[in-house]
Amino acid sequence: MKDYERQVLRDVGLFAHGGAGKTSVAEAMLFCAGVTTRLGLVSEGNSVLDFAPEAKNRVSSISLAVTGLEWEKHKINLVDTPGDMNFVADARAALRAVDAAVFVVDAVDGVKVITGKLWGEALELGLPRLLFVNKLDRERADFEATLESIKTSLEVTPCPLTVPLGEQDKLQGVVDLVRMKALMYEKDGSGKYKEGEIPKEIADEVAEYREKMVEAVAESNDALLEKYLEEGDLNPKELAEALRAGVLAGKVVPLLCGSGVKNLGIQPLLRALVACFPSPLQRPAVKGTDAKTGAEAIRPAKEDAPFSALVFKTIADPYRGKLTLFRVFSGAQAGDSNTYNASKKVRERLGQILQLSGESAEGIGTARLGDIVAVAKLKETQTGHTLSDEANPLVLPGLPPTKPVISFAVMPKTQADEDKLTQALSKLIEEDPTLELKRDIQTNEFILSGMGQVHIETALAIMQRKFGVGVNLKAPKVPYLETIRGTASAEGKYRKQTGGRGQFGWCWVEVAPLPRGSGVEFEDAIFGGSIPRQFIPSVEKGMRDKAAKGIIAGYPVTDFKLRLYDGKYHDVDSSDLAFQIAGSLGFKAAAEKAGVILLEPIMNVEVTVPDECMGDITGDLNRRRGRLQGMEGRGGSQVIKATAPLSEMLRYAPDLNSLTSGRGLFTMEFSHYEECPSHIAEKVVAAAQREKKGEEEEEE
Ligand SMILES: Nc1nc2c(ncn2[C@@H]2O[C@H](COP(=O)(O)OP(=O)(O)OP(=O)(O)O)[C@@H](O)[C@H]2O)c(=O)[nH]1
Ligand SMILES: [Mg+2]
């Protein structure tokens, strides 16, 4: 593998909503650069980047993919990302690994919500950005309308570097506005083009675009603006320098256009990446914390600085073992040597450093500043950790946390599957930290939570393929809780006389409600030894076990206090077990007297939708017992904040999709528990009783 000077390196990510054409554009770049010998097509399942079988099935990326190419003696590391909400965490991770971002915009659909969100995040991270208007060959493609959509949704006036020559089925090529040439492409997807004069009939239009371009560049630089206003144009050298400076400063956003699947307009895009985007040396110093002192620390983007790298992705590979992907932010690290995980404060043995190209990998000796590389089989390191020079340990900020929005119970298909399930799930979660696994203490089921149904289903398909473990999914479960309404006392008596030694335990208890979130408290108010000391924990254990199993519907009882204030015992027959049972009976009787009610989880929901969908969305949220908390307009879309019960939101993703024709976006996180309205509580209790009856019949 060729080694490149750091100045000629470009670390670039592709971002946009699902289906905008990121992977297709990346494939066209690989083909133009000669990395591939035929154009990879997502729709044909032969894309180098969408290599996973699950991506091929869905005809859409399900994870980020790293590849590299050489263009005009520059090395471009490309990170293709998924745009679907279910997998968007990988796009967020990629934002942290690259130095600049290409945002792909669909010329038919315009900018969608997710693109806007990622755009905002790229802006916050200070990443230089560029836009590529894709799919200009498609029916109903509209370049002008797409520019408008970009202006309103992303709140930016881009600087066009190319504009289309024709549109839809008449798309012939692009006009290069810098060199003022027409690039006429061959129709065979080979990417070959002839350079010629700009056709007369569009000369005026092109002149207008060129003016916009020069203006956008000039406006980023006062001296240049003055010159431009005086002379009416800028020379190519001034233009190129100011363009680069403007992009690096985030003041200019170049825009190019074409078609990924037709392989048209891609070379100007590659040239722009080289000309406008920074090398890793030009990025600001990274900020983190000193792992020794906890103080804020910065590390300059220099090769002779101590090594630091962010782990932004882990891939569970059944053949190579675990693959850890990291981006070097300072210094260098040789392979086959020790490094230091500063987040965990442990040393790690590194194997060979691997340069990725889609699914395949090639060994290189050293990971240098700006490299986006992988190593296999690290023991301690997880996504979000920092690898660092041990003598100067730096911890970089981790990846943004995501909150899962949907849960399923996963059930092994066979006994063999059950045996392997725990291990397979933990490997899966290591690869994808947006998955969350819990064991339901009531049902003993594994509960897998994720970003959406598609996310969970895809993850399980991956688990089946990689680890050979099959599972079935059970409908999402709502984690209801039970609690008591009032205060009441009762006795719990357990007495059994069987031949020899009997069983005897007797207690009086009082239950009283506690504020939400308090959990379960136990008070020992026994005076005078009516229950011997050693049996008091037995009463508590009996009560806690019963509380975990629930009283009316099998959900844990919470937010109450149980006071044990009297009892009786027998010298011979009393035992730990007898008092556990007495505690459980006493608690149940007191709780039933006090009244048991059901609590349901309430979620904080944030929905982002195009303006015109607002009414439908708020109406729908009302029907879901949602409460609106606020609304805020943001560049053509509305952000609606509300709270709503989880039980009403389990199937929200597909419904939001159909209400907004796929343009809506939502996030959801747990807020608090509230009393469940009685007509709904009745249904939950009835369903729990039916389920219990079913289980008992099965056991018989
Ligand atoms: N006509 C036309 N179709 C395109 C173009 N680019 C992509 N497509 C098609 O649009 C669909 C989505 O393209 P992808 O490249 O997979 O889009 P993506 O942005 O990678 O999507 P995700 O991976 O799901 O985020 C595929 O069926 C492509 O064949 C284009 O320039 N013209
Ligand atoms: Mg893709």
Side-chain angles (χ1 to χ4, degrees):
M1 169 86 30
K2 209 163 134 186
D3 211 2
Y4 292 86
E5 289 304 319
R6 300 297 95 178
Q7 296 87 296
V8 301
L9 207 59
R10 303 285 182 269
D11 287 338
V12 180
L14 289 149
F15 303 91
H17 70 261
K22 300 172 289 295
T23 305
S24 303
V25 170
E27 290 288 345
M29 288 197 235
L30 290 176
F31 181 69
C32 286
V35 176
T36 49
T37 49
R38 70 171 177 173
L39 182 62
L41 292 174
V42 176
S43 53
E44 299 290 314
N46 61 8
S47 149
V48 192
L49 295 157
D50 280 353
F51 58 82
E54 295 77 22
K56 289 184 184 166
N57 287 343
R58 284 184 47 77
V59 202
S60 147
S61 312
I62 56 160
S63 71
L64 62 80
V66 180
T67 185
L69 61 90
E70 188 184 296
W71 186 259
E72 293 171 351
K73 302 205 167 63
H74 284 66
K75 168 76 191 293
I76 301 175
N77 287 321
L78 267 189
V79 185
D80 180 30
T81 66
D84 188 296
M85 187 53 205
N86 283 282
F87 310 106
V88 76
D90 259 21
R92 300 216 154 96
L95 278 172
R96 293 286 309 280
V98 297
D99 290 327
V102 172
F103 280 83
V104 178
V105 182
D106 184 327
V108 180
D109 290 346
V111 176
K112 288 202 199 173
V113 170
I114 224 162
T115 307
K117 288 239 165 184
L118 293 168
W119 179 268
E121 288 169 34
L123 205 65
E124 252 170 54
L125 289 166
L127 291 182
R129 281 145 296 131
L130 177 155
L131 289 153
F132 186 78
V133 176
N134 187 38
K135 299 199 189 180
L136 278 167
D137 60 304
R138 265 186 64 184
E139 212 179 302
R140 291 188 295 116
D142 187 336
F143 185 65
E144 273 293 322
T146 309
L147 290 186
E148 275 313 305
S149 159
I150 288 170
K151 265 186 207 158
T152 50
S153 304
L154 303 180
E155 293 169 346
V156 66
T157 305
C159 166
L161 300 186
T162 59
V163 289
L165 257 176
E167 226 162 37
Q168 304 181 10
D169 54 353
K170 297 199 183 59
L171 181 71
Q172 292 170 296
V174 294
V175 176
D176 178 337
L177 292 176
V178 181
R179 288 160 50 237
M180 288 301 267
K181 293 279 180 213
L183 314 188
M184 306 291 280
Y185 276 78
E186 298 202 351
K187 290 214 173 334
D188 56 4
S190 64
K192 291 192 186 124
Y193 62 84
K194 286 203 182 69
E195 214 171 90
E197 293 310 312
I198 294 161
K200 288 218 166 41
E201 50 291 7
I202 57 164
D204 289 349
E205 202 185 321
V206 169
E208 248 175 63
Y209 278 121
R210 174 159 167 112
E211 212 175 294
K212 277 188 192 152
M213 186 259 295
V214 181
E215 260 171 34
V217 176
E219 270 167 14
S220 67
N221 177 322
D222 288 344
L224 217 57
L225 184 61
E226 212 167 291
K227 183 157 187 266
Y228 168 66
L229 292 177
E230 269 170 27
E231 297 174 13
D233 207 347
L234 298 172
N235 69 46
K237 189 162 169 281
E238 286 167 334
L239 205 55
E241 282 171 6
L243 181 61
R244 181 172 177 79
V247 175
L248 294 196
K251 290 183 187 163
V252 178
V253 177
L255 177 140
L256 293 100
C257 63
S259 160
V261 296
K262 291 269 152 48
N263 188 12
L264 185 151
I266 302 299
Q267 295 93 341
L269 172 63
L270 286 163
R271 285 199 278 274
L273 301 188
V274 166
C276 303
F277 277 169
S279 85
L281 294 165
Q282 287 170 302
R283 296 292 294 153
V286 283
K287 285 199 188 92
T289 45
D290 185 317
K292 283 186 196 156
T293 63
E296 209 173 274
I298 58 163
R299 186 87 25 111
K302 289 196 174 141
E303 266 209 283
D304 54 8
F307 171 66
S308 71
L310 178 74
V311 173
F312 64 96
K313 174 86 185 162
T314 305
I315 300 170
D317 187 313
Y319 308 110
R320 284 184 287 223
K322 187 175 114 179
L323 272 187
T324 300
L325 275 61
F326 61 90
R327 148 75 200 247
V328 182
F329 282 101
S330 64
Q333 169 71 53
D336 295 313
S337 62
N338 286 330
T339 188
Y340 186 67
N341 178 329
S343 311
K344 254 185 134 177
K345 299 199 170 68
V346 287
R347 207 170 278 168
E348 276 273 25
R349 179 75 197 168
L350 287 188
Q352 193 184 29
I353 310 260
L354 302 167
Q355 180 94 61
L356 297 176
S357 177
E359 194 176 19
S360 50
E362 190 183 340
I364 57 169
T366 301
R368 298 171 59 193
L369 169 69
D371 282 342
I372 298 178
V373 287
V375 282
K377 299 197 176 93
L378 291 190
K379 292 213 168 61
E380 307 279 350
T381 303
Q382 287 161 1
T383 305
H385 286 174
T386 305
L387 299 176
S388 166
D389 178 42
E390 189 170 349
N392 300 280
L394 178 79
V395 181
L396 297 167
L399 297 175
T402 49
K403 290 265 188 321
V405 298
I406 195 165
S407 300
F408 286 90
V410 293
M411 277 153 338
K413 283 187 176 151
T414 64
Q415 183 62 45
D417 290 328
E418 175 151 17
D419 297 343
K420 290 186 285 181
L421 184 62
T422 323
Q423 213 197 2
L425 282 173
S426 67
K427 280 189 191 159
L428 201 63
I429 288 170
E430 191 161 38
E431 165 168 292
D432 182 350
T434 58
L435 288 170
E436 220 175 80
L437 184 69
K438 273 192 236 133
R439 193 98 195 218
D440 185 322
I441 51 161
Q442 303 163 51
T443 58
N444 215 21
E445 286 168 340
F446 285 110
I447 306 294
L448 192 63
S449 312
M451 306 302 291
Q453 186 161 351
V454 168
H455 179 213
I456 303 264
E457 284 168 357
T458 309
L460 295 174
I462 293 175
M463 182 168 82
Q464 169 90 59
R465 170 170 62 87
K466 290 188 177 174
F467 312 116
V469 179
V471 290
N472 289 318
L473 284 186
K474 209 164 88 175
K477 238 181 110 136
V478 178
Y480 292 104
L481 290 174
E482 298 177 14
T483 192
I484 55 167
R485 193 189 290 284
T487 302
S489 301
E491 65 171 351
K493 185 161 98 182
Y494 184 61
R495 184 186 221 165
K496 213 168 185 182
Q497 224 69 51
T498 46
R501 192 179 161 210
Q503 291 286 358
F504 186 92
W506 199 335
C507 63
W508 277 269
V509 296
E510 180 198 73
V511 292
L514 291 177
R516 289 285 154 266
S518 307
V520 177
E521 280 177 25
F522 176 78
E523 185 191 337
D524 168 15
I526 294 286
F527 295 101
S530 55
I531 297 179
R533 287 286 104 201
Q534 76 264 29
F535 295 136
I536 288 173
S538 311
V539 175
E540 179 175 0
K541 179 162 191 302
M543 174 276 282
R544 283 190 187 272
D545 287 352
K546 181 65 198 160
K549 287 189 189 130
I551 292 180
I552 50 169
Y555 296 100
V557 192
T558 188
D559 300 344
F560 70 91
K561 176 165 146 178
L562 183 118
R563 195 167 72 91
L564 170 64
Y565 63 90
D566 204 357
K568 279 186 186 162
Y569 72 101
H570 186 276
D571 281 339
V572 180
D573 290 349
S574 279
S575 67
D576 170 41
L577 185 70
F579 272 103
Q580 278 191 38
I581 298 174
S584 155
L585 293 173
F587 162 59
K588 180 165 184 274
E592 278 170 351
K593 258 198 214 169
V596 183
I597 55 173
L598 205 65
L599 298 176
E600 64 175 345
I602 306 291
M603 312 300 281
N604 280 326
V605 185
E606 195 184 299
V607 195
T608 312
V609 295
D611 284 341
E612 64 269 24
C613 300
M614 263 281 289
D616 289 347
I617 295 299
T618 50
D620 176 67
L621 280 172
N622 272 330
R623 279 189 291 281
R624 294 175 193 267
R625 297 191 281 132
R627 279 180 230 139
L628 290 191
Q629 308 285 325
M631 265 177 263
E632 196 186 308
R634 240 181 252 163
S637 42
Q638 290 285 333
V639 182
I640 303 164
K641 291 198 168 119
T643 59
L646 175 61
S647 60
E648 306 284 346
M649 297 299 289
L650 288 174
R651 301 270 173 200
Y652 192 56
D655 294 349
L656 177 67
N657 227 0
S658 58
L659 281 172
T660 60
S661 322
R663 290 176 301 161
L665 194 69
F666 85 108
T667 59
M668 183 159 88
E669 61 181 25
F670 172 74
S671 167
H672 63 281
Y673 274 90
E674 263 176 34
E675 183 173 346
C676 199
S678 57
H679 64 285
I680 289 170
E682 276 162 25
K683 282 190 199 148
V684 176
V685 171
Q689 278 163 356
R690 270 198 308 277
E691 196 174 314
K692 196 165 166 217
K693 211 167 149 221
E695 274 168 23
E696 278 164 4
E697 275 163 14
E698 232 169 68
E699 275 167 23
E700 272 164 19

